[in-house]
Amino acid sequence: MAGPKDKTDWLAEARGIFWLLLAVLGFHSFIAKPFYIPSESMMPGLLVGDRLVVSKYPYGWSYVSPTFHILPFMPGRLFGRLPERGDVVIASPPGVRQDYIKRVIGLPGDRIEMRGGTLVLNGVPVSRSLPAPRLIPVDANAPCRDDQFPGRLVTGPDGKPYCALPIVRETLPNGRSFDTIDLGASSTDDFPPLTVPEGHVFLVGDNRDRSADSRVPLDQGGLGGPVPWENLGGRAEFITFSLDGTAEWYNPISWVQALRGGRAGSSLHPARAER
């Protein structure tokens, strides 16, 4: 005669799932987490639809480190250290439980100024060069709308549509170099001199005329000036994959078709300029 079937130990199953979820949340909170680019503020290097890895430990840990921003404000960082100028970081505006992604331009004691779109650091305009315009393929996640990039929609040699973006390559005093976009006159082209307070960093988007960052007040969706270092959530490391906006959740084949070629594995650490 067959014996009774083993009964499922639902308590043990629930306990296993609990520890698995705790391990995932712990990894996301203290080691690394994925991040999705939702806006055009970090173009040309980052496009809407890019998926990144953000490491949590390079600057130590603070109240914004845990996933879902579950902790109230607490001053200071555990094993904290400041970022380097040029790092791409995620940060939360004071009093806002939302992650922004921007580039570190100013550290404590730095005097920051914008004059006609040129970044001035400690009284010296940063080195700028003007490479050829960057041709960004047009897709659902990069539509090159006229309200964002007026007059920039062009047809490439292959007959496909592209967004021809004017590039300014900046080199910071520490030799780190990266591309920015300068679309012409905008409300953020001029910013009066400001000294970054102790324990703060000044963050700016690479798409200089389309970025709500430390130059923009909190009530206008910006970071409201220099950001307390407690509000840094981590450093962007590399792109894992990128989607063009055509994927349909119910169609796995479309997930593969929506992949943008050539972006997976791209490092987000700025280059060191030759001297």
Side-chain angles (χ1 to χ4, degrees):
M1 180 182 293
K5 293 183 179 180
D6 292 337
K7 293 183 178 180
T8 300
D9 187 341
W10 292 109
L11 182 60
E13 294 291 330
R15 191 180 297 117
I17 293 172
F18 169 78
W19 287 114
L20 176 62
L21 290 175
L22 195 63
V24 171
L25 289 175
F27 187 87
H28 278 204
S29 298
F30 301 109
I31 307 299
K33 76 168 187 175
F35 189 81
Y36 167 75
I37 298 299
S39 76
E40 298 155 332
S41 71
M42 284 297 289
M43 290 178 71
L46 289 172
L47 306 178
V48 175
D50 285 349
R51 268 67 172 180
L52 325 176
V53 166
V54 172
S55 58
K56 290 298 193 77
Y57 53 84
Y59 314 130
W61 295 274
S62 73
Y63 81 102
V64 301
S65 297
T67 300
F68 306 127
H69 297 286
I70 58 175
L71 297 179
F73 174 80
M74 289 181 282
R77 301 188 74 91
L78 181 65
F79 305 117
R81 71 177 181 87
L82 285 166
E84 188 176 352
R85 291 191 198 94
D87 283 357
V88 177
V89 303
I90 59 171
S92 299
V96 179
R97 294 179 180 271
Q98 181 181 353
D99 288 328
Y100 287 35
I101 184 163
K102 306 294 177 187
R103 191 178 298 276
V104 177
I105 295 299
L107 298 178
D110 284 341
R111 192 161 177 80
I112 303 293
E113 184 180 357
M114 295 285 293
R115 300 178 193 161
T118 297
L119 173 65
V120 180
L121 185 59
N122 295 320
V124 180
V126 300
S127 175
R128 290 159 53 98
S129 61
L130 301 174
R134 180 80 58 84
L135 294 180
I136 305 292
V138 170
D139 58 35
N141 272 340
C144 202
R145 300 189 311 272
D146 210 45
D147 62 328
Q148 291 292 319
F149 305 107
R152 298 294 172 181
L153 184 62
V154 300
T155 300
D158 57 2
K160 295 180 180 179
Y162 290 87
C163 216
L165 299 177
I167 301 299
V168 175
R169 188 161 186 83
E170 292 185 349
T171 302
L172 298 176
N174 60 359
R176 305 186 91 187
S177 186
F178 47 89
D179 289 341
T180 68
I181 297 174
D182 186 356
L183 296 170
S186 76
S187 60
T188 53
D189 274 354
D190 293 283
F191 186 84
L194 176 148
T195 298
V196 180
E198 189 66 29
H200 290 66
V201 292
F202 197 90
L203 307 179
V204 178
D206 291 346
N207 188 359
R208 292 291 165 80
D209 303 309
R210 299 290 185 271
S211 176
D213 47 43
S214 288
R215 301 168 296 169
V216 179
L218 284 171
D219 60 9
Q220 296 179 24
L223 291 170
V227 175
W229 80 321
E230 292 93 346
N231 292 46
L232 294 179
R235 182 179 68 195
E237 303 292 349
F238 60 89
I239 297 172
T240 52
F241 64 95
S242 184
L243 298 176
D244 65 11
T246 61
E248 299 168 324
W249 66 268
Y250 56 83
N251 181 4
I253 295 176
S254 72
W255 305 348
V256 177
Q257 294 172 334
L259 287 170
R260 291 178 173 134
R263 297 193 64 76
S266 299
S267 173
L268 298 176
H269 296 190
R272 293 283 180 180
E274 296 182 5
R275 298 195 172 193

